[in-house]
């Protein structure tokens, strides 16, 4: 392995040989597009902290999805923008069979039956206080009470036709309870993508503006249930528990600052590992792009291939629509 018999640069000397020797590839099959749905018809809104991303009513979303699905986009993750009048302390709107998510799933699945629809199972869009769980008078987030609500929410998504339910709330034990409930309601093919290693991250800020939960949450934090960014080994326990409870796939969130967690998860477990390139990561990249400090396409594609290199099977990214068009013009 000594120079000059070995010259590592030979494999970098042309585009063809670089393509041939690449260890990882990014395709549309790696992408999940997170989308923000609004109630109503023909509505589009800009999101200040996420330039280039829009909230859309489901008809507008469908118009956007049809050509993307033809170009190979396989999956979306739905996030609802819930009006203030539907937010309560018990989050009951979350399992309304005629709620925004449930109606949107039905509409999308009947128009595009082969597009995978993933729904978020967590109460934060529906609670008056913006927490993912139900709280008592002292403000404590009640684990087991919350699970009962999450089970009803997950069932209502599955019954509306969601392919995958994705609990993102970080309560202990919710995956097992959801799995049992789905089996009982004959939704045995509804998969569970568990946000198993979800950190209490500051990079979620723009998302909370996008769904309108920032004001409800105020200054309170989610640190009593989401993980401490200082911890890695704890993620292994979280993931192992969720797989044992019946999770089909797991998620690490946020993404790029947590590639070590993704790599660790991939090496220790045999289920698909997804990663969420979250709103704050999007905002950082896009602001640099909009200021002319970074070139959009190469910077975004590099970010995504780094996810692949770390071992990610599917990446939730707000760039999924653009990347689909870049990869399959
Ligand atoms: C809440 C939820 C959050 C995100 C997805 N689901 C925010 C939070 O935990 O407060 C964040 C996604 C992003 O930042 O892009 N259940």
């Amino acid at each position: 392995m000594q120079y000059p018999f070995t010259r590592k640069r030979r494999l970098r000397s042309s585009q063809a040989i670089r393509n041939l020797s690449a260890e990882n590839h990014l395709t549309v099959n790696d992408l999940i597009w997170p989308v923000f749905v609004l109630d109503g018809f023909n509505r589009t809104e800009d999101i200040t902290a996420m330039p280039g991303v829009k909230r859309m009513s489901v008809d507008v979303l469908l118009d956007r999805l049809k050509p993307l699905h033809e170009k190979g986009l396989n999956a979306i993750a739905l996030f609802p923008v819930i009006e203030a009048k539907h937010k309560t302390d018990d989050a009951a709107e979350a399992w309304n069979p005629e709620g925004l998510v449930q109606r949107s799933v039905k509409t999308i699945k009947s128009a595009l039956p082969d597009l995978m629809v993933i729904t978020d199972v967590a109460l934060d869009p529906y609670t008056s206080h913006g927490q993912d769980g139900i709280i008592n008078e002292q403000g404590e987030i009640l684990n087991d009470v919350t699970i009962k609500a999450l089970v009803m929410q997950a069932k209502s998504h599955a019954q509306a036709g969601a392919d995958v339910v994705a609990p993102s709330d970080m309560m202990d034990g919710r995956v097992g309870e959801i799995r049992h409930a789905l089996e009982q309601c004959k939704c045995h093919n509804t998969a569970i993508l568990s946000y198993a290693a979800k950190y209490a991250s500051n990079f979620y800020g723009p998302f909370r503006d996008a769904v309108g939960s920032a004001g409800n949450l105020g200054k309170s934090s989610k640190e009593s249930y989401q993980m401490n960014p200082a911890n890695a080994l704890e993620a292994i326990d979280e993931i192992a528990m969720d797989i044992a409870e019946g999770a089909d796939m797991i998620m690490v969130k946020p993404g790029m600052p947590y590639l070590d967690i993704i790599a660790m998860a991939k090496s220790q477990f045999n289920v698909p590992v997804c990663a969420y390139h979250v709103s704050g990561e999007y905002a950082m990249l896009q602001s640099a792009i909009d200021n002319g400090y970074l070139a959009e396409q190469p910077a975004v594609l590099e970010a995504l291939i780094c996810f692949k290199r770390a071992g990610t099977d599917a990446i939730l990214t707000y760039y999924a629509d653009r990347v689909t068009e870049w990869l399959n013009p």
Side-chain angles (χ1 to χ4, degrees):
M1 280 279 282
Q2 284 308 308
Y3 167 87
F5 305 103
T6 300
R7 290 177 186 263
K8 296 304 286 181
R9 290 184 57 193
R10 283 187 202 115
L11 292 183
R12 299 175 201 141
S13 60
S14 70
Q15 191 58 50
I17 207 160
R18 288 192 292 273
N19 288 347
L20 186 129
S21 59
E23 295 174 35
N24 291 285
H25 302 274
L26 179 75
T27 76
V28 282
N29 292 331
D30 299 310
L31 303 173
I32 300 171
W33 189 31
V35 292
F36 299 111
V37 272
L38 288 170
D39 221 330
F41 184 74
N42 195 21
R43 292 178 66 203
T44 307
E45 289 177 3
D46 291 330
I47 302 164
T48 314
M50 300 178 74
V53 177
K54 292 182 191 315
R55 305 182 191 94
M56 291 170 269
S57 54
V58 72
D59 56 304
V60 177
L61 173 61
L62 262 182
D63 286 345
R64 185 86 186 94
L65 280 174
K66 283 175 187 157
L68 289 168
H69 188 45
E70 271 168 28
K71 289 178 193 286
L73 181 76
N74 273 314
I76 60 167
L78 274 185
F79 293 97
V81 182
I82 300 297
E83 291 169 28
K85 65 176 185 214
H86 293 309
K87 298 187 190 226
T88 55
D89 286 351
D90 65 358
E93 179 65 13
W95 53 91
N96 176 356
E98 291 306 315
L100 174 58
V101 166
Q102 292 83 353
R103 279 184 280 120
S104 303
V105 170
K106 281 182 216 158
T107 308
I108 295 167
K109 287 301 293 184
S110 64
L112 300 170
D114 296 330
L115 179 75
M116 180 193 288
V117 176
I118 304 171
T119 57
D120 196 60
V121 176
L123 303 182
D124 53 313
Y126 305 94
T127 51
S128 34
H129 44 72
Q131 293 287 359
D132 291 26
I134 290 172
I135 64 175
N136 66 11
E137 275 159 21
Q138 288 73 45
E140 186 191 343
I141 289 111
L142 303 170
N143 194 87
D144 301 8
V145 174
T146 298
I147 290 181
K148 292 194 168 65
L150 296 171
V151 164
M152 293 192 278
Q153 184 183 25
K155 260 172 71 173
S156 75
H157 292 177
Q159 284 165 338
D163 300 283
V164 179
V165 294
S168 71
D169 54 285
M170 289 296 282
M171 296 299 122
D172 289 319
R174 86 281 201 221
V175 172
E177 298 284 329
I178 291 172
R179 185 70 266 159
H180 279 295
L182 292 179
E183 294 303 312
Q184 273 168 7
C185 72
K186 298 197 168 62
C187 297
H188 49 271
N189 280 332
T190 310
I192 299 179
L193 162 59
S194 170
Y195 285 72
K198 176 170 179 179
Y199 287 85
S201 173
N202 290 291
F203 295 113
Y204 306 150
F207 173 97
R208 292 177 190 167
D209 285 331
V211 297
S213 68
N216 302 79
L217 192 61
K219 284 199 172 13
S220 55
S221 87
K222 300 192 176 186
E223 289 168 335
S224 80
Y225 45 107
Q226 299 178 347
M227 283 181 57
N228 181 346
N231 296 355
L233 300 177
E234 191 186 345
I236 302 290
D237 280 351
E238 283 283 1
I239 296 167
M241 284 174 77
D242 287 1
I243 294 173
E245 287 175 33
D248 300 282
M249 302 179 273
I250 62 102
M251 176 106 75
V252 174
K253 179 181 175 190
M256 265 178 100
Y258 295 79
L259 293 183
D260 57 325
I261 310 297
I262 296 168
M264 218 167 55
K266 190 65 191 170
S267 71
Q268 302 209 21
F269 300 100
N270 299 326
V271 302
V273 175
C274 304
Y276 204 141
H277 188 215
V278 299
S279 59
E281 300 177 69
Y282 174 86
M284 289 194 294
L285 257 175
Q286 195 59 40
S287 331
I289 291 162
D290 290 342
N291 277 302
Y293 305 149
L294 287 175
E296 182 173 48
Q297 197 162 321
V300 171
L301 291 176
E302 180 181 336
L304 299 183
I305 201 69
C306 292
F307 276 98
K308 292 298 294 174
R309 192 198 60 234
T312 315
D313 293 289
I315 311 159
L316 278 99
T317 177
Y318 299 100
Y319 286 108
D321 54 339
R322 275 166 264 179
V323 174
T324 298
E325 285 166 348
W326 298 341
L327 296 179
N328 296 337

